[in-house]
Amino acid sequence: MTIDHEDTRIELIHADDEAKYVLRDAREILAVLRNLVGARALVSARLAPGNESVLSTLVEVAEDGSSLLLDGSADALQNQRMEHADALDCVTQLDKVRIQFLLRGQRLVEDGGSPGLRAPPPEALLRLQRREFYRLQTPISEAVSCTLALPRVDGSRREAELRILDISGGGVAIAVPPVGVHFEPGTEFPDSLLRLPDTAPIPARLVVRNLFRITRRGGAEVLRAGCEFADLPRGAEDVIQRYILRVERTRNARERGRL
């Protein structure tokens, strides 16, 4: 899973600083949209409900900010499906920052003889900088997990081993199980153990900073909790960085055809 994949829907559930990820001020949203127009950024518009996606471009933002224009398709039937969709879930990038917004009330128009979809601007816009959301995606082939000590009602603790989705020197993103573990910003998990290949378990205290729902193209959902490391033992960050560098070197070599 990478956040750059156009078929991945990312929804912020909770964060200790929502404004870091979501714009709700109309002027700020319009400024981002106009930058997208100027950059001629490609937009992947997924028709909701459903999984059909259309590659398009944001052509125009009205001077008064009342509407925007999305380039239509050469396929007239596809344009009709876009017009009749409940919403268009749009994903694009600007300066390596993922941008996602939802358009509703779109209508098919002719712009200089070319079809387009005109819609009111979105009420909210999600921005995810790669360095804030994604560090190193852990290899599926390796067992990378985190053991949390979870409190029971009687005061005792039970261990839960959860999959690590990505990792950096400052924290991890954990796949939250459907039941049994409560995650929200500020939740702390003391006495956690980070388990990397070929190293002894690393003790840490984890602090939840954000919670995202990731929906893949096929409809599969993953709840992702972004957690910050606290109280790492001396030398632990070096161990984590060595692991990250090793995985990156292996991936780079594979991409160059050396493995």
Side-chain angles (χ1 to χ4, degrees), residues 101-254:
F101 52 89
L102 205 64
L103 296 181
R104 299 185 186 275
Q106 66 278 2
R107 56 187 176 84
L108 189 60
V109 297
E110 292 288 330
D111 180 57
S114 299
L117 281 300
R118 188 168 291 279
E123 296 180 356
L125 185 144
L126 178 71
R127 298 179 304 174
L128 292 174
Q129 294 192 39
R130 192 175 182 88
R131 62 182 175 82
E132 293 175 343
F133 187 84
Y134 170 83
R135 299 300 196 273
L136 175 80
Q137 181 184 352
T138 55
I140 297 176
S141 59
E142 294 185 349
V144 184
S145 64
C146 189
T147 301
L148 305 184
L150 306 176
R152 288 191 174 102
V153 176
D154 62 5
S156 63
R157 291 180 177 269
R158 66 179 179 89
E159 289 190 347
E161 188 168 352
L162 305 181
R163 182 165 62 99
I164 291 177
L165 300 174
D166 55 70
I167 184 171
S168 74
V172 292
I174 296 174
V176 179
V179 293
V181 186
H182 178 67
F183 282 83
E184 65 178 22
T187 302
E188 295 191 9
F189 295 100
D191 305 319
S192 301
L193 290 176
L194 177 65
R195 301 182 184 275
L196 303 179
D198 305 322
T199 65
I202 300 172
R205 178 166 56 91
L206 297 182
V207 183
V208 180
R209 294 304 183 196
N210 54 60
L211 193 65
F212 287 86
R213 179 180 290 114
I214 314 295
T215 306
R216 299 181 181 178
R217 183 177 179 85
E221 291 187 352
V222 176
L223 205 57
R224 175 197 187 277
C227 302
E228 182 182 18
F229 290 139
D231 302 332
L232 280 177
R234 179 174 297 180
E237 189 169 346
D238 291 338
V239 173
I240 294 169
Q241 290 296 345
R242 284 197 297 270
Y243 166 75
I244 291 173
L245 290 173
R246 178 178 66 79
V247 173
E248 287 180 334
R249 282 197 299 266
T250 301
R251 284 185 177 163
N252 291 337
R254 185 178 291 114

Side-chain angles (χ1 to χ4, degrees), residues 17-107:
D17 183 9
E18 182 183 287
K20 182 178 181 180
Y21 305 102
V22 181
L23 293 182
R24 299 191 185 277
D25 182 84
R27 292 170 298 179
E28 293 180 341
I29 291 173
L30 289 173
V32 172
L33 295 175
R34 290 189 171 109
N35 286 336
L36 290 173
V37 172
R40 301 183 63 84
L42 291 177
V43 176
S44 174
R46 182 177 64 83
L47 282 61
N51 291 315
E52 181 182 3
S53 293
V54 180
L55 197 60
S56 182
T57 308
L58 193 58
V59 177
E60 172 193 287
V61 176
E63 288 189 12
D64 62 1
S66 61
S67 68
L68 56 82
L69 182 65
L70 201 65
D71 194 20
S73 168
D75 185 339
L77 291 178
Q78 191 173 65
N79 288 331
Q80 291 177 17
R81 292 195 297 272
M82 293 175 71
E83 182 179 33
H84 295 143
D86 290 348
L88 299 178
D89 193 355
C90 298
V91 176
T92 184
Q93 284 196 34
L94 184 65
D95 298 329
K96 297 184 179 180
V97 176
R98 177 189 171 112
I99 295 173
Q100 182 177 297
F101 52 89
L102 205 64
L103 296 181
R104 299 185 186 275
Q106 66 278 2
R107 56 187 176 84

